[in-house]
PDB file of all heavy atoms in Angstrom:
ATOM      1  N   GLY A 318     -31.947 -22.173  76.518  1.00  0.00           N
ATOM      2  CA  GLY A 318     -30.745 -22.372  75.716  1.00  0.00           C
ATOM      3  C   GLY A 318     -29.641 -21.367  75.954  1.00  0.00           C
ATOM      4  O   GLY A 318     -28.921 -21.004  75.021  1.00  0.00           O
ATOM      5  N   ILE A 319     -29.474 -20.900  77.169  1.00  0.00           N
ATOM      6  CA  ILE A 319     -28.449 -19.898  77.454  1.00  0.00           C
ATOM      7  C   ILE A 319     -27.062 -20.534  77.392  1.00  0.00           C
ATOM      8  O   ILE A 319     -26.792 -21.548  78.019  1.00  0.00           O
ATOM      9  CB  ILE A 319     -28.672 -19.260  78.847  1.00  0.00           C
ATOM     10  CG1 ILE A 319     -30.023 -18.542  78.871  1.00  0.00           C
ATOM     11  CG2 ILE A 319     -27.538 -18.314  79.219  1.00  0.00           C
ATOM     12  CD1 ILE A 319     -30.218 -17.497  77.804  1.00  0.00           C
ATOM     13  N   ARG A 320     -26.183 -19.900  76.626  1.00  0.00           N
ATOM     14  CA  ARG A 320     -24.793 -20.361  76.529  1.00  0.00           C
ATOM     15  C   ARG A 320     -23.794 -19.298  76.949  1.00  0.00           C
ATOM     16  O   ARG A 320     -22.642 -19.593  77.213  1.00  0.00           O
ATOM     17  CB  ARG A 320     -24.476 -20.797  75.089  1.00  0.00           C
ATOM     18  CG  ARG A 320     -25.154 -22.064  74.654  1.00  0.00           C
ATOM     19  CD  ARG A 320     -24.673 -23.304  75.377  1.00  0.00           C
ATOM     20  NE  ARG A 320     -23.247 -23.537  75.315  1.00  0.00           N
ATOM     21  CZ  ARG A 320     -22.619 -24.215  74.365  1.00  0.00           C
ATOM     22  NH1 ARG A 320     -23.300 -24.730  73.376  1.00  0.00           N
ATOM     23  NH2 ARG A 320     -21.322 -24.367  74.416  1.00  0.00           N
ATOM     24  N   THR A 321     -24.215 -18.019  76.960  1.00  0.00           N
ATOM     25  CA  THR A 321     -23.330 -16.940  77.403  1.00  0.00           C
ATOM     26  C   THR A 321     -24.107 -16.012  78.328  1.00  0.00           C
ATOM     27  O   THR A 321     -25.316 -15.830  78.157  1.00  0.00           O
ATOM     28  CB  THR A 321     -22.740 -16.158  76.210  1.00  0.00           C
ATOM     29  OG1 THR A 321     -21.721 -15.282  76.661  1.00  0.00           O
ATOM     30  CG2 THR A 321     -23.785 -15.365  75.464  1.00  0.00           C
ATOM     31  N   TYR A 322     -23.388 -15.475  79.329  1.00  0.00           N
ATOM     32  CA  TYR A 322     -24.022 -14.621  80.329  1.00  0.00           C
ATOM     33  C   TYR A 322     -23.011 -13.595  80.809  1.00  0.00           C
ATOM     34  O   TYR A 322     -21.834 -13.894  80.980  1.00  0.00           O
ATOM     35  CB  TYR A 322     -24.474 -15.459  81.538  1.00  0.00           C
ATOM     36  CG  TYR A 322     -24.892 -14.618  82.725  1.00  0.00           C
ATOM     37  CD1 TYR A 322     -26.197 -14.187  82.854  1.00  0.00           C
ATOM     38  CD2 TYR A 322     -23.976 -14.227  83.696  1.00  0.00           C
ATOM     39  CE1 TYR A 322     -26.589 -13.388  83.924  1.00  0.00           C
ATOM     40  CE2 TYR A 322     -24.357 -13.428  84.769  1.00  0.00           C
ATOM     41  CZ  TYR A 322     -25.657 -13.017  84.879  1.00  0.00           C
ATOM     42  OH  TYR A 322     -26.037 -12.237  85.933  1.00  0.00           O
ATOM     43  N   ALA A 323     -23.503 -12.376  81.059  1.00  0.00           N
ATOM     44  CA  ALA A 323     -22.717 -11.352  81.752  1.00  0.00           C
ATOM     45  C   ALA A 323     -23.688 -10.529  82.583  1.00  0.00           C
ATOM     46  O   ALA A 323     -24.714 -10.076  82.079  1.00  0.00           O
ATOM     47  CB  ALA A 323     -21.970 -10.459  80.770  1.00  0.00           C
ATOM     48  N   GLY A 324     -23.374 -10.389  83.872  1.00  0.00           N
ATOM     49  CA  GLY A 324     -24.247  -9.626  84.753  1.00  0.00           C
ATOM     50  C   GLY A 324     -23.461  -8.892  85.812  1.00  0.00           C
ATOM     51  O   GLY A 324     -22.371  -9.320  86.200  1.00  0.00           O
ATOM     52  N   ALA A 325     -23.989  -7.769  86.271  1.00  0.00           N
ATOM     53  CA  ALA A 325     -23.363  -6.970  87.325  1.00  0.00           C
ATOM     54  C   ALA A 325     -24.446  -6.537  88.305  1.00  0.00           C
ATOM     55  O   ALA A 325     -25.591  -6.280  87.917  1.00  0.00           O
ATOM     56  CB  ALA A 325     -22.669  -5.740  86.735  1.00  0.00           C
ATOM     57  N   PRO A 326     -24.089  -6.449  89.594  1.00  0.00           N
ATOM     58  CA  PRO A 326     -25.081  -6.080  90.599  1.00  0.00           C
ATOM     59  C   PRO A 326     -25.419  -4.593  90.573  1.00  0.00           C
ATOM     60  O   PRO A 326     -24.557  -3.758  90.302  1.00  0.00           O
ATOM     61  CB  PRO A 326     -24.409  -6.459  91.914  1.00  0.00           C
ATOM     62  CG  PRO A 326     -22.949  -6.334  91.641  1.00  0.00           C
ATOM     63  CD  PRO A 326     -22.780  -6.721  90.194  1.00  0.00           C
ATOM     64  N   LEU A 327     -26.678  -4.304  90.870  1.00  0.00           N
ATOM     65  CA  LEU A 327     -27.142  -2.935  91.051  1.00  0.00           C
ATOM     66  C   LEU A 327     -27.117  -2.678  92.555  1.00  0.00           C
ATOM     67  O   LEU A 327     -27.902  -3.264  93.297  1.00  0.00           O
ATOM     68  CB  LEU A 327     -28.560  -2.771  90.502  1.00  0.00           C
ATOM     69  CG  LEU A 327     -28.723  -3.000  89.003  1.00  0.00           C
ATOM     70  CD1 LEU A 327     -30.195  -3.066  88.620  1.00  0.00           C
ATOM     71  CD2 LEU A 327     -28.001  -1.921  88.214  1.00  0.00           C
ATOM     72  N   VAL A 328     -26.190  -1.833  92.990  1.00  0.00           N
ATOM     73  CA  VAL A 328     -25.960  -1.619  94.420  1.00  0.00           C
ATOM     74  C   VAL A 328     -26.231  -0.160  94.780  1.00  0.00           C
ATOM     75  O   VAL A 328     -25.755   0.752  94.102  1.00  0.00           O
ATOM     76  CB  VAL A 328     -24.509  -1.984  94.805  1.00  0.00           C
ATOM     77  CG1 VAL A 328     -24.274  -1.781  96.295  1.00  0.00           C
ATOM     78  CG2 VAL A 328     -24.186  -3.413  94.405  1.00  0.00           C
ATOM     79  N   HIS A 329     -27.000   0.034  95.844  1.00  0.00           N
ATOM     80  CA  HIS A 329     -27.217   1.360  96.422  1.00  0.00           C
ATOM     81  C   HIS A 329     -26.815   1.253  97.882  1.00  0.00           C
ATOM     82  O   HIS A 329     -27.446   0.510  98.647  1.00  0.00           O
ATOM     83  CB  HIS A 329     -28.677   1.796  96.289  1.00  0.00           C
ATOM     84  CG  HIS A 329     -28.953   3.112  96.953  1.00  0.00           C
ATOM     85  ND1 HIS A 329     -28.696   4.307  96.337  1.00  0.00           N
ATOM     86  CD2 HIS A 329     -29.416   3.411  98.184  1.00  0.00           C
ATOM     87  CE1 HIS A 329     -29.021   5.293  97.163  1.00  0.00           C
ATOM     88  NE2 HIS A 329     -29.452   4.776  98.292  1.00  0.00           N
TER      89      HIS A 329
END
Side-chain angles (χ1 to χ4, degrees):
I319 298 304
R320 290 293 305 272
T321 190
Y322 169 89
L327 297 169
V328 181
H329 176 83

